[in-house]
Amino acid sequence: MTGHHTLASWFRQHYRLGSTRGGSGAAYHEAMQDERAVVKVEWHQIKLNGAPRMLGLIHSLLAITVREDQSQSSRTYVLEKAASQREDAGEEYQNGIYISCWSEVTSMITLPSLQTLNNVGAALTMKRLWEVAMSTGKYDLARSNCHHVAQAVYNACVPDSHAQLQVLEIPNARWVRVAAIVKPLNYLGLNLLNSHALGSQSCTSQSQGSQSTLVSECTGSSLQHFPLHTVGEAGHMNPGHLKAACLAKWIYSPKREELTGLGGLLNINLHVLRQMGDENPTPVQWAVLEDEDAFYVTFKGTDNFVDVVIDFDLTLTDFCDMRVHNGISGGLQHKPPDGKSVLDELEECLGSVSVQNAKEVILCGHSLGGGYAILAALFLLYRGFHVTQVVTFGAPQVLVPDMDNPGCRWLDEITTLYVNAWDPVPRLPACLEWLELLARIGVSLAGFIHVRPTFLQDTIDRFKRFRHGYGLVGRLAFVAWHSSFIRCGLCSGEVEWLLCSPPPQEHATCARRLCEFHLMDEYLKILKAAAES
């Protein structure tokens, strides 16, 4: 899939992420024979490359200096932990512990040290610190990684009389907590070879005709079972919403030359385009565009492992006087080194172009991108901008509704949430019935990777705990392929019952079918058909 990374390749990178280390481990035997006392410990950090850098992830290692006494020459070793890829790893690499010479690593250290301890406790040797490191067990991204071993060894060197110098929280603690949630997927029979990123590409081949391929694994009549006629009121296709849908797909693989005439966009001006990559170390891909009628801000949805990590950080945090999704708000507020956050740059851009212009401001996105659009709109409203519309396609629930909050009330007035029939994502994380359904049929909660239907119960319980408080704001706009119209209704009562109700049996047992309801290709196909009817 050109311009897209499959989640499979990102999970493989996730394994290599744990394999990062500074030294070769060649100084192990020398260190074990070195009986000189440890006199100094420095906790260093190394920047990681690629996608992990976008999240601010680092690798921890300790520079440990030993010396006989003040008159003797000293020696500095490096102790670190990494996931060993060698099945026949000898004693010198057990549990992923590596001891190297400082000279191997010094050129990699470009960041300030995190901690320095010059007053080391009772006579400690390298062998004793190696034993402390070994006690942390085999490498585990969530429970025993490079930061955990650095913390254990560093704290072992702190004298009892200076206990306040111990390090209580490891670097990247937030992402380690998320890893504890993501990691169980590996024990659920994760089908890496057949996983797909669910952005603008389908899991199955797309037909060239007018009929949808969504029923490829289910009965041809099953789409007729979505009770679109029973909810809300009939609506018509808003031309601005079709443009938003086209941009929500375009941002997955943005090319300037494809903007002309896209979804009726005329005289398009691309103000900002930020793509994920080392030159732009941000976890969010987004753009600001202008046509004759409006400014559009579009965000990319879940398409790689970084996005999955953000999806899974379901804890609630404070943002613009509301409680919101920690991962998504964190992505918007993330500031790369010597850079600006998405929100800072968005505010600066809209502030410079909209002061002289009374055009509409429309934020849009698919899946995770819709979540970004909602919280970015909340921020802009909080900062006094006049946001006119928020349009999302298959977006998850990203906040705790609070109608006493002026920003939330205004967001409720201007937001339209498109839901394609039985798309699971808009039901998450609040709908308990859907969590249990997805657990039974073996569909992961982020990215919808196919797994064996043997979910670990503690993983399900974890997600159930996170769901409390989440809800929707705005108008739900239900669509389905067999219909030429759209049904809309406020996020309450009459339409919410359908959102939380489980699908009919033929869909409840068809994992791939549920995944395909979520594809942006399908949303766009349905909205184009509605616009032409």
Side-chain angles (χ1 to χ4, degrees):
M1 297 185 295
T2 304
H4 290 72
H5 297 287
T6 65
L7 289 179
S9 67
W10 281 83
F11 270 103
R12 294 187 189 104
Q13 288 184 28
H14 163 235
Y15 178 79
R16 291 197 295 271
L17 167 73
S19 300
T20 300
R21 64 178 190 271
S24 64
Y28 167 78
H29 293 291
E30 177 189 347
M32 293 301 98
Q33 298 299 319
D34 198 329
E35 297 183 351
R36 289 176 288 184
V38 175
V39 296
K40 183 179 181 180
V41 181
E42 289 183 287
W43 188 331
H44 289 285
Q45 53 184 326
I46 297 176
K47 289 182 179 179
L48 301 181
N49 294 319
R53 183 186 292 248
M54 301 174 198
L55 298 175
L57 300 184
I58 63 169
H59 172 70
S60 283
L61 51 82
L62 298 179
I64 303 170
T65 302
V66 298
R67 188 166 49 221
E68 185 83 33
D69 55 47
Q70 294 299 326
S71 64
Q72 297 292 323
S73 61
S74 62
R75 177 73 158 156
T76 300
Y77 298 97
V78 170
L79 187 151
E80 58 190 324
K81 186 166 191 167
S84 175
Q85 298 185 36
R86 297 176 50 176
E87 294 296 330
D88 59 343
E91 182 183 64
E92 62 268 39
Y93 308 120
Q94 281 187 15
N95 289 354
I97 306 300
Y98 292 79
I99 299 179
S100 312
C101 296
W102 173 245
S103 57
E104 275 192 72
V105 179
T106 181
S107 62
M108 302 180 188
I109 307 299
T110 59
L111 300 173
S113 62
L114 295 173
Q115 304 285 340
T116 300
L117 185 65
N118 292 302
N119 181 18
V120 178
L124 294 170
T125 62
M126 283 302 301
K127 184 175 182 179
R128 175 60 189 135
L129 295 187
W130 175 80
E131 291 171 348
V132 173
M134 285 291 292
S135 70
T136 62
K138 293 183 178 180
Y139 185 93
D140 183 290
L141 181 64
R143 298 179 179 84
S144 184
N145 60 37
C146 63
H147 307 308
H148 293 111
V149 78
Q151 180 189 42
V153 173
Y154 185 90
N155 287 346
C157 294
V158 175
D160 293 339
S161 58
H162 293 77
Q164 72 277 8
L165 298 179
Q166 290 197 344
V167 175
L168 301 181
E169 183 167 80
I170 60 173
N172 300 142
R174 170 189 174 190
W175 299 118
V176 170
R177 287 192 290 269
V178 174
I181 303 170
V182 177
K183 181 175 174 288
L185 295 179
N186 292 311
Y187 299 108
L188 301 176
L190 190 62
N191 186 354
L192 294 178
L193 295 178
N194 296 311
S195 62
H196 297 270
L198 297 180
S200 62
Q201 304 293 330
S202 173
C203 295
T204 59
S205 60
Q206 296 295 309
S207 69
Q208 301 302 315
S210 60
Q211 294 301 312
S212 171
T213 62
L214 290 181
V215 294
S216 58
E217 295 187 11
C218 305
T219 61
S221 62
S222 62
L223 283 177
Q224 305 300 326
H225 293 174
F226 185 75
L228 194 63
H229 64 283
T230 66
V231 297
E233 58 188 23
H236 299 285
M237 186 70 245
N238 182 317
H241 290 191
L242 180 57
K243 294 178 182 179
C246 290
L247 291 174
K249 177 184 175 181
W250 171 83
I251 192 61
Y252 276 96
S253 184
K255 295 180 177 62
R256 292 171 185 261
E257 62 270 19
E258 294 180 356
L259 286 171
T260 304
L262 185 68
L265 291 162
L266 300 174
N267 299 324
I268 193 73
N269 182 18
L270 179 60
H271 288 282
V272 175
L273 173 59
R274 296 290 178 261
Q275 294 178 258
M276 296 176 69
D278 285 339
E279 294 182 2
N280 180 46
T282 172
V284 185
Q285 185 158 302
W286 62 287
V288 178
L289 309 97
E290 177 186 7
D291 79 344
E292 294 179 335
D293 302 316
F295 290 97
Y296 290 86
V297 184
T298 181
F299 296 90
K300 181 182 73 67
T302 299
D303 194 42
N304 55 51
F305 181 70
V306 172
D307 297 328
V308 173
V309 171
I310 290 171
D311 285 327
F312 271 73
D313 192 359
L314 293 167
T315 52
L316 290 167
T317 190
D318 293 324
F319 178 79
C320 299
D321 295 333
M322 291 190 64
R323 299 287 287 168
V324 305
H325 188 291
N326 191 53
I328 296 176
S329 62
L332 291 171
Q333 296 177 89
H334 172 74
K335 288 189 178 182
D338 304 320
K340 299 176 181 178
S341 71
V342 173
L343 296 179
D344 289 339
E345 194 169 3
L346 179 58
E347 182 178 18
E348 183 179 292
C349 176
L350 292 181
S352 64
V353 297
S354 62
V355 169
Q356 309 161 359
N357 201 314
K359 291 182 178 179
E360 290 190 67
V361 176
I362 301 173
L363 282 76
C364 59
H366 165 251
S367 189
L368 171 64
Y372 282 133
I374 292 171
L375 294 192
L378 178 63
F379 169 81
L380 292 173
L381 292 168
Y382 187 81
R383 300 288 289 177
F385 283 82
H386 184 63
V387 179
T388 50
Q389 292 188 66
V390 180
V391 188
T392 70
F393 309 93
Q397 300 157 16
V398 298
L399 51 74
V400 177
D402 178 9
M403 293 308 163
D404 291 331
N405 183 297
C408 186
R409 289 199 301 272
W410 186 248
L411 198 61
D412 191 56
E413 291 288 329
I414 64 174
T415 300
T416 301
L417 313 166
Y418 281 93
V419 179
N420 178 17
W422 304 110
D423 181 352
V425 175
R427 275 91 178 176
L428 303 177
C431 296
L432 179 60
E433 294 86 352
W434 277 83
L435 284 174
E436 293 175 340
L437 168 66
L438 295 177
R440 289 196 302 272
I441 66 174
V443 179
S444 76
L445 296 178
F448 289 87
I449 312 165
H450 298 293
V451 298
R452 291 200 306 262
T454 52
F455 258 83
L456 299 178
Q457 190 58 49
D458 60 342
T459 303
I460 302 307
D461 291 342
R462 187 190 300 273
F463 279 99
K464 288 179 181 178
R465 289 196 298 272
F466 282 137
R467 74 184 182 87
H468 295 293
Y470 276 99
L472 299 170
V473 294
R475 288 171 63 84
L476 279 169
F478 281 99
V479 296
W481 177 245
H482 67 278
S483 177
S484 62
F485 61 90
I486 297 167
R487 282 282 177 172
C488 301
L490 298 178
C491 293
S492 61
E494 187 178 6
V495 294
E496 278 203 336
W497 71 266
L498 182 56
L499 190 74
C500 292
S501 298
Q505 185 65 22
E506 60 264 38
H507 294 315
T509 57
C510 185
R512 185 173 290 258
R513 179 68 192 91
L514 287 179
C515 294
E516 291 176 332
F517 277 118
H518 184 58
L519 294 172
M520 188 59 218
D521 273 349
E522 301 306 323
Y523 275 94
L524 186 55
K525 187 183 300 182
I526 293 169
L527 266 62
K528 282 182 176 179
E532 293 169 358
S533 64

